[in-house]
């Protein structure tokens, strides 16, 4: 039953993050890109003030998979690296912490492009 509840928490939190994004799309004139940047920055800021970690502890992947989770990972990596390496860690920690996710996105994006054979719009 504990595993089932973790799935429920993950679904609810991830769903609420998506609902916020959909409401922003429907009710404002913000573009998709601006909303993604807003979520990324919000995740980083919430991690910097210590709020997002509680959400991750509660919901797991429901909080780390959306784009706000990427901002959280960038901020968390930078903060950890500053503690161990000093000021320069602020520049390297975020990338080090998210390198595997970035690599996976590039590789699977490339594979999807090979399979789908995309064409440019004329």
């Amino acid at each position: 039953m504990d595993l089932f509840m973790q799935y429920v928490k993950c679904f609810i939190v991830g769903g609420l993050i998506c609902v916020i994004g959909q409401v922003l799309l429907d009710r404002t004139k913000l573009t998709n890109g601006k909303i993604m940047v807003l979520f990324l920055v919000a995740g980083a800021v919430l991690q910097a003030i210590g709020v997002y970690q509680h959400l991750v502890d509660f919901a797991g992947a429901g909080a780390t998979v959306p784009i706000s989770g990427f901002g959280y990972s960038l901020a968390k990596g930078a903060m950890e690296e500053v503690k161990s390496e000093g000021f320069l860690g602020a520049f390297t920690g975020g990338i080090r912490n998210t390198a595997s996710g970035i690599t996976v996105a590039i590789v699977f994006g490339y594979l999807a492009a090979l399979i789908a054979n995309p064409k440019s719009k004329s």
Side-chain angles (χ1 to χ4, degrees), residues 33-68:
K34 289 179 181 178
I35 292 172
M36 286 176 49
V37 169
L38 179 71
F39 276 8
L40 189 131
V41 171
V45 169
L46 289 173
Q47 172 60 20
I49 62 175
V51 174
Y52 209 86
Q53 185 63 51
H54 296 296
L55 191 61
V56 170
D57 293 342
F58 175 76
T64 58
V65 171
I67 192 73
S68 56

Side-chain angles (χ1 to χ4, degrees), residues 23-107:
V23 167
L24 288 172
L25 276 172
D26 293 344
R27 303 285 182 198
T28 68
K29 293 184 180 193
L30 294 173
T31 62
N32 296 346
K34 289 179 181 178
I35 292 172
M36 286 176 49
V37 169
L38 179 71
F39 276 8
L40 189 131
V41 171
V45 169
L46 289 173
Q47 172 60 20
I49 62 175
V51 174
Y52 209 86
Q53 185 63 51
H54 296 296
L55 191 61
V56 170
D57 293 342
F58 175 76
T64 58
V65 171
I67 192 73
S68 56
F70 185 69
Y72 151 78
S73 294
L74 285 170
K76 183 178 179 185
M79 290 178 353
E80 288 173 354
E81 201 71 15
V82 165
K83 288 179 185 172
S84 66
E85 300 295 324
F87 178 72
L88 289 179
F91 301 105
T92 61
I95 300 300
R96 184 173 295 162
N97 205 33
T98 58
S100 60
I102 293 169
T103 302
V104 167
I106 291 170
V107 168

